[in-house]
Amino acid sequence: MQAKKSNPPDGGYGWVVVVSAFLVMGLTTAVLKTFGLFFVEIQQHFDELASTTSWITSVTIAVFHLGAPVASSLCVRYSHRAVVITGGLLAFSGMALGFLGFSMIWMYATTGFLQGLGISFSWTPAISIVSHYFSKKRALANAVASAGECAFAFPFGPFFQWLISQYGWKGTLLIIGGIQLNICVCGVLMRPLASSSLLEGRHSETETSSGNSSSRTQKEDRSPTEHKTFNWMLVKQPQFVLYAIFGILAAMSFFVPPLFLVPLSYSLGIDESWTASLLSILAVVDFAGRLLCGWYANLHVTKSVHLLTMTITLISTSLMLLPLANNYLSLAIFTGFYGFFFGTTVAVHITVLADVVGMPDFDSALGLFMFIRSTGGFVGPPLAGLIVDMVGDYRAGFYMAGATLFLSAGFLVILDQLQQSKARGSQTNTKPEKPTLPYPSLHLLKLQ
């Protein structure tokens, strides 16, 4: 299908794409967040250990991250629309086949692998195409799109719980699969947008027609065909490597607080009903943080990487202070701070990635970044659990997460310094030279 626009419109139909991405976030990551409701039901049905049952979610998360480079490569090769539609069909298949519930291995393959691949093929291109449709308002658009995760997670909890009570866990999986078919509708709405880099390549080819053969050869090397393949060479770019290291350290921390928040509250003697409200507080302030940070970033008052460094530092501070809570009120306050600043980070970190690599390589960069970041997500929770076991206190997990996040902010500072140094070098190289007189005779007259 032919692209409709040549440059990012920063509005117009782009907002339809943002709403579609908002819905995709809700139908993928929000479902993943609330899948814990099925844990006990599936464990009891198959009479398996908790560790064995937990592998369903682990497989889903692993495939979600590891499938990102494949999804990005397919976006470059085909279109974001086609990949999102494929993701919707895969997600539906995972839940619908999980409805059969033959065995635990069957659950790993369906609600684990197929669902994870469906989430990856839906989430990755949905986030990517939003960045293609927006430039000046990219941070705001990404914030609104990512907020779908929080907006859907809040009602999905009680809704899925009601479905389980009415139709059982198998019937609920089938219903959720049917709901996830709406991802395909969202994909249809994500019509392709021509990248400005492709137009620049075509413009270069036009210019070479009037130049010499050597100039033609050089400019043809920058033709649009170079953007038709997945760029694995990004791993050799220092700026991308620094941002990827930040991603690994951040992921090591981000999965820890939700894991230990409830056990910490129990250790403080807080009632279960009050403990559940902490998760609701986390979702609400996360949602508010994403929208507020997206709006602020859209003002372009602060450089995106500076804003991200600030939010990461504030999250780190919140996590280091959270263990000081000794009752429900103080724990709720610190949880609110953590959730809010986490939302601000999610709102802006994709925008910073686009600034680091540029839009021509953004699809490839997003897939690689998700793939590399997954290592942090795998290592973080077990490492925090080991520290908690050694110390015998859940507070240790929060200290570990806060310290790791603070370390990740250091790599953002180094990245910013490298970007500034590169910008200064570019300005020096493009500084105009003094004009010389065209004729030697005039030059001699000037000397006389």
Side-chain angles (χ1 to χ4, degrees):
M1 178 175 288
Q2 187 176 4
K4 302 295 183 183
K5 298 285 183 181
S6 60
N7 292 303
D10 268 313
Y13 192 81
W15 291 115
V16 176
V17 174
V18 169
V19 172
S20 300
F22 177 92
L23 296 174
V24 170
M25 297 303 107
L27 296 173
T28 55
T29 50
V31 171
L32 180 58
K33 272 188 170 183
T34 54
F35 195 77
L37 295 170
F38 294 88
F39 186 90
V40 176
E41 301 289 337
I42 295 175
Q43 181 186 7
Q44 292 178 350
H45 178 82
F46 292 106
D47 192 23
E48 292 284 357
L49 297 173
S51 58
T52 304
T53 308
S54 65
W55 273 104
I56 298 176
T57 303
S58 298
V59 170
T60 307
I61 296 174
V63 176
F64 168 37
H65 286 86
L66 297 178
V70 180
S72 294
S73 181
L74 291 173
C75 288
V76 175
R77 177 70 176 174
Y78 300 102
S79 69
H80 297 80
R81 168 184 283 173
V83 181
V84 172
I85 293 174
T86 302
L89 294 175
L90 287 170
F92 163 73
S93 300
M95 289 297 193
L97 292 174
F99 160 77
L100 300 176
F102 291 136
S103 65
M104 188 62 73
I105 299 297
W106 179 262
M107 301 305 296
Y108 295 158
T110 56
T111 56
F113 181 82
L114 285 178
Q115 179 68 197
L117 197 61
I119 292 175
S120 184
F121 277 33
S122 304
W123 186 95
T124 306
I127 284 293
S128 175
I129 196 172
V130 169
S131 293
H132 281 285
Y133 260 90
F134 289 83
S135 178
K136 294 181 180 179
K137 298 179 181 178
R138 185 174 295 147
L140 177 61
N142 280 324
V144 173
S146 68
E149 176 183 334
C150 308
F152 278 74
F154 191 76
F156 270 3
F159 176 55
F160 289 172
Q161 190 67 62
W162 178 81
L163 287 177
I164 292 173
S165 66
Q166 296 296 315
Y167 304 101
W169 68 269
K170 290 186 177 181
T172 302
L173 288 181
L174 185 60
I175 294 172
I176 294 175
I179 294 174
Q180 286 184 312
L181 277 175
N182 287 288
I183 294 173
C184 299
V185 179
C186 297
V188 171
L189 295 174
M190 294 177 180
R191 70 187 187 194
L193 175 70
S195 172
S196 58
S197 62
L198 302 185
L199 296 177
E200 290 171 1
R202 296 189 185 99
H203 182 62
S204 295
E205 289 182 343
T206 304
E207 290 179 342
T208 58
S209 63
S210 59
N212 55 43
S213 58
S214 61
S215 177
R216 183 182 295 110
T217 302
Q218 291 173 359
K219 291 191 177 182
E220 283 177 350
D221 291 340
R222 297 194 298 270
S223 66
T225 57
E226 72 171 333
H227 300 293
K228 292 296 185 181
T229 58
F230 192 87
N231 187 5
W232 294 97
M233 293 299 101
L234 285 169
V235 294
K236 293 185 177 182
Q237 295 184 8
Q239 295 182 63
F240 177 77
V241 171
L242 286 170
Y243 197 68
I245 295 174
F246 152 75
I248 293 173
L249 294 172
M252 286 180 63
S253 306
F254 286 159
F255 291 96
V256 172
L259 186 64
F260 293 122
L261 181 60
V262 172
L264 176 63
S265 67
Y266 288 160
S267 68
L268 295 175
I270 299 174
D271 186 74
E272 291 185 5
S273 58
W274 287 103
T275 298
S277 68
L278 292 175
L279 301 178
S280 298
I281 293 173
L282 199 61
V284 171
V285 295
D286 184 355
F287 181 82
R290 297 186 192 213
L291 295 183
L292 185 60
C293 185
W295 167 80
Y296 177 78
N298 188 58
L299 300 178
H300 300 286
V301 176
T302 307
K303 190 177 177 182
S304 296
V305 68
H306 294 168
L307 183 59
L308 180 59
T309 305
M310 180 176 66
T311 59
I312 288 293
T313 304
L314 289 171
I315 294 179
S316 173
T317 304
S318 300
L319 290 177
M320 299 292 276
L321 293 175
L322 191 146
L324 300 179
N326 55 11
N327 54 45
Y328 172 79
L329 180 60
S330 57
L331 188 59
I333 292 174
F334 287 126
T335 298
F337 278 119
Y338 161 74
F340 179 82
F341 294 129
F342 175 81
T344 60
T345 298
V346 173
V348 77
H349 82 285
I350 295 297
T351 302
V352 176
L353 178 62
D355 294 340
V356 168
V357 301
M359 287 313 300
D361 289 321
F362 177 73
D363 290 319
S364 301
L366 181 59
L368 282 174
F369 180 75
M370 289 290 294
F371 178 81
I372 295 171
R373 190 182 71 169
S374 66
T375 58
F378 296 150
V379 173
L383 178 60
L386 178 62
I387 295 174
V388 168
D389 290 339
M390 293 174 60
V391 177
D393 192 339
Y394 288 110
R395 293 180 176 88
F398 292 91
Y399 288 132
M400 170 264 178
T404 307
L405 270 179
F406 187 78
L407 179 61
S408 74
F411 285 91
L412 291 178
V413 173
I414 298 173
L415 170 63
D416 180 50
Q417 294 298 317
L418 183 60
Q419 287 180 319
Q420 292 185 26
S421 177
K422 188 175 181 180
R424 287 193 296 267
S426 299
Q427 292 176 358
T428 302
N429 293 334
T430 57
K431 186 176 181 180
E433 298 180 357
K434 291 184 178 180
T436 57
L437 295 173
Y439 301 106
S441 59
L442 295 176
H443 182 65
L444 292 173
L445 287 172
K446 183 180 180 181
L447 291 176
Q448 292 174 355

